[in-house]
């Protein structure tokens, strides 16, 4: 491996730009190559973020001299693009949702193991300081046993609504795109649910959800109530309530701007200090991947393969209950 971990970016869209900006804050790493389907877009992106190599196709990036590739294409391409890179023996950080379903995710991990290369879902929230602070408070018993979680993620999609949000061929729908954050929070704090109920409002004629509401019952009787919507702006907050108090994560609970509040024994909510630094917040997951690669790990000890498989399994279950279906579901 080179002195610095050499990053490549596959797909030069919106999130790729935020991630590329944050890579500048990551120690021991450098952005060296980017690929777009469009040569001009790749050149422009490379110039903006200082990548020397730019490609007009993804295969050339997979074959190039990089150590790790960040995959930032629509959900339905995560499987194909991750396999492209893993089979070229490149480590991968793949955007959420890692795949369309659990079967795909499991195959992706098998290929990573067979090639002996690192792969991780880019579930950035898990690496953010405020999320870690919340876990610290919970593990210290501050709010007692968690009995109830409520979390939402909704925004009014701009018109015309981008195809990525409604087209089943691109993995569209609110659950996989943003509902995944409340579901991840409930799973990581309460474990896999024993019961799942869900309702959706579909995009007419598309079969994928414009809005989704999920209620889950977890071991010991704890309940989680989770929602996502592209129809309206919602608070994007999380409330984690326990036998001794509650934690609230305010707008937007899943990202680097979230503010954390704590109430114990019915005292008024007070804000909890959280470490902040410049950037969009993607530097924390990128630093973690860089450190894993320097230490020659093929799996993250923080966000394990099992974490992603569990998340995919629960998303599959929710989709089954409320009837969200993708073409990829038929292939397996
Ligand atoms: N972690 C987060 O906070 C976060 C936030 C937003 C999105 N995401 C995830 O990141 C992924 C991309 O989201 P985005 O908002 O960046 O989307 P986007 O702006 O539409 O960018 C996606 C990029 O994928 C490439 N692409 C390849 N095949 C495509 C196709 N058939 N149709 C459209 N684009 C195609 C395009 O890059 P080229 O044309 O350059 O090849 C496009 O610019 C999604 O899976 C999403 O869940 C994560």
């Amino acid at each position: 491996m080179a002195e610095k971990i050499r990053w490549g970016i596959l797909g030069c869209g919106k999130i790729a730009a935020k991630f590329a900006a944050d890579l500048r804050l990551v120690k021991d790493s450098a952005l060296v190559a980017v690929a777009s389907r469009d040569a001009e877009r790749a050149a422009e992106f490379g110039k903006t973020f200082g990548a020397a190599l730019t490609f007009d196709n993804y295969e050339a990036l997979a074959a190039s001299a990089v150590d790790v590739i960040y995959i930032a294409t629509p959900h339905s391409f995560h499987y194909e693009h991750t396999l492209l890179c893993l089979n070229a023996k490149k480590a991968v950080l793949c955007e959420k949702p890692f795949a369309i379903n659990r079967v795909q995710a499991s195959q992706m991990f098998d290929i990573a193991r067979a090639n002996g290369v690192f792969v991780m879902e880019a579930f950035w929230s898990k690496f953010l300081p405020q999320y870690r602070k919340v876990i610290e408070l919970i593990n210290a018993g501050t709010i007692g046993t968690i009995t109830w979680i409520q979390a939402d993620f909704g925004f009014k999609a701009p018109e015309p609504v981008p195809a990525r949000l409604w087209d089943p061929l691109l993995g569209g729908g609110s659950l996989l795109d943003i509902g995944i954050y409340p579901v991840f929070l409930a799973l990581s704090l309460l474990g896999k649910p024993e019961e799942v109920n869900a309702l959706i409002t579909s995009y007419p004629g598309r079969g994928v959800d414009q809005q989704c509401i999920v209620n889950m019952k977890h071991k010991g009787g704890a309940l989680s109530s989770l929602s996502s919507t592209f129809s309206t702006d919602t608070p994007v907050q999380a409330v984690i309530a326990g036998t001794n108090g509650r934690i609230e994560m305010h707008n937007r609970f899943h990202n680097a701007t979230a503010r954390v509040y704590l109430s114990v024994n019915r005292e008024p909510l007070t804000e909890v200090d959280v470490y902040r630094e410049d950037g969009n917040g993607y530097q924390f997951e990128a630093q973690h991947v860089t450190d894993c690669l320097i230490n020659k790990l093929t799996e993250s000890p923080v966000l394990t393969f099992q974490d992603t498989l569990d998340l995919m399994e629960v998303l599959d279950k929710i989709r089954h209950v409320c009837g969200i279906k993708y073409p990829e579901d038929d292939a397996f």
Side-chain angles (χ1 to χ4, degrees):
M1 216 160 251
E3 249 174 52
K4 284 193 172 193
I5 297 300
R6 299 164 301 179
W7 284 81
I9 293 183
L10 190 154
C12 297
K14 284 198 287 297
I15 194 61
K18 289 186 181 172
F19 183 86
D22 282 359
L23 259 187
R24 293 172 171 150
L25 304 170
V26 178
K27 281 195 297 230
D28 304 318
S29 76
L31 177 63
V32 301
V34 299
S36 168
R37 297 166 299 170
D38 178 278
E40 263 180 45
R41 189 157 48 244
E44 187 59 36
F45 194 98
K47 197 168 136 206
T48 306
F49 297 107
L53 298 170
T54 63
F55 301 107
D56 65 1
N57 67 90
Y58 300 153
E59 290 74 14
L61 172 65
S64 71
V66 296
D67 301 308
V68 55
I69 295 174
Y70 168 64
I71 292 174
T73 49
H75 320 336
S76 55
F77 297 102
H78 291 176
Y79 176 79
E80 175 190 334
H81 294 151
T82 294
L83 294 198
L84 171 72
C85 299
L86 294 176
N87 284 326
K89 302 239 185 280
K90 299 301 188 304
V92 166
L93 173 66
C94 177
E95 260 309 334
K96 45 54 61 178
F98 189 64
I100 294 294
N101 54 39
R102 190 188 187 282
V103 174
Q104 282 194 336
S106 176
Q107 291 180 355
M108 290 152 81
F109 291 134
D110 286 346
I111 303 278
R113 282 194 196 94
N115 283 292
V117 284
F118 179 93
V119 63
M120 190 184 93
E121 181 175 16
F123 215 98
W124 66 312
S125 306
K126 190 156 193 188
F127 300 91
L128 291 172
Q130 80 273 11
Y131 175 85
R132 299 168 80 94
K133 172 60 81 180
V134 166
I135 296 295
E136 193 185 303
L137 290 169
I138 290 167
N139 288 346
T142 315
I143 59 166
T145 304
I146 301 170
T147 59
W148 190 83
I149 291 179
Q150 187 178 38
D152 71 280
F153 193 157
F155 64 89
K156 182 152 176 45
E159 294 288 347
V161 179
R164 197 178 75 61
L165 303 188
W166 55 260
D167 188 346
L169 296 176
L170 298 176
S174 75
L175 174 68
L176 289 197
D177 200 52
I178 52 178
I180 191 171
Y181 287 104
V183 173
F184 170 82
L185 185 74
L187 273 198
S188 49
L189 298 180
L190 296 174
K192 280 200 279 182
E194 293 173 345
E195 281 177 54
V196 174
N197 283 313
L199 288 171
I200 57 168
T201 308
S202 300
Y203 275 114
R206 302 289 174 189
V208 299
D209 56 303
Q210 187 170 6
Q211 316 199 79
C212 181
I213 286 190
V214 182
N215 289 324
M216 306 201 289
K217 186 170 185 177
H218 304 259
K219 198 171 164 202
L223 297 177
S224 59
S225 182
L226 318 165
S227 57
S228 54
T229 175
F230 292 142
S231 305
T232 185
D233 294 327
T234 68
V236 194
Q237 290 187 176
V239 179
I240 304 157
T243 48
N244 198 38
R246 76 178 190 278
I247 294 168
E248 294 192 6
M249 301 174 78
H250 287 191
N251 187 297
R252 289 179 156 181
F253 80 88
H254 77 292
N255 78 13
T257 62
R259 302 172 84 94
V260 178
Y261 297 86
L262 174 67
S263 161
V264 176
N265 292 327
R266 295 185 172 158
E267 292 292 321
L269 280 174
T270 51
E271 187 163 2
V272 176
D273 269 350
V274 171
Y275 170 76
R276 308 266 176 203
E277 63 178 46
D278 289 341
N280 302 304
Y282 299 98
Q283 68 270 29
F284 298 104
E285 63 175 0
Q287 185 68 62
H288 176 71
V289 173
T290 299
D291 295 343
C292 286
L293 295 178
I294 288 171
N295 290 304
K296 306 210 177 321
L297 302 184
T298 51
E299 180 175 355
S300 161
V302 175
L303 190 71
T304 64
F305 294 174
Q306 195 58 50
D307 291 334
T308 291
L309 290 171
D310 287 350
L311 181 57
M312 291 307 321
E313 183 180 320
V314 174
L315 292 168
D316 284 358
K317 239 183 228 165
I318 295 168
R319 294 204 291 110
H320 180 74
V321 169
C322 62
I324 305 169
K325 201 155 170 49
Y326 295 100
E328 289 83 351
D329 296 331
D330 292 327
F332 300 101

